[in-house]
Amino acid sequence: MSKTRKDRSDIQVGNLEKKHKLEPGTIRNTDHTDARSDKELGTLQREYGEQAMEGMFDSEENHSET
């Protein structure tokens, strides 16, 4: 089993959703509005903190497996 790599902070939200095979609009701001697809992941982390990003992928991956 290989070690999972972290996503780079300069990846754009739209490309991140494609990379993880998520629906467009899955990644949202903390006020539940759709994050712009050209916004970078590092910008989201600086604005809202890494705690806001933690559960975002876990819930989507669990739904796709069931």
Side-chain angles (χ1 to χ4, degrees):
M1 190 166 208
S2 64
K3 184 175 180 181
T4 304
R5 296 184 64 166
K6 288 187 176 184
D7 294 317
R8 289 174 47 136
S9 64
D10 63 346
I11 191 170
Q12 293 180 342
V13 169
N15 294 332
L16 182 66
E17 290 172 337
K18 287 179 187 177
K19 178 182 176 183
H20 290 282
K21 297 179 179 116
L22 301 172
E23 293 289 323
T26 301
I27 298 179
R28 298 191 167 269
N29 297 319
T30 55
D31 60 353
H32 303 290
T33 57
D34 186 15
R36 290 179 43 168
S37 63
D38 63 340
K39 192 175 232 183
E40 292 183 350
L41 180 61
T43 305
L44 281 175
Q45 289 172 335
R46 281 192 299 278
E47 287 178 0
Y48 303 119
E50 292 193 29
Q51 292 84 11
M53 303 294 292
E54 280 180 3
M56 195 169 295
F57 296 119
D58 295 337
S59 62
E60 288 299 320
E61 289 172 358
N62 291 338
H63 291 300
S64 65
E65 291 175 1
T66 56

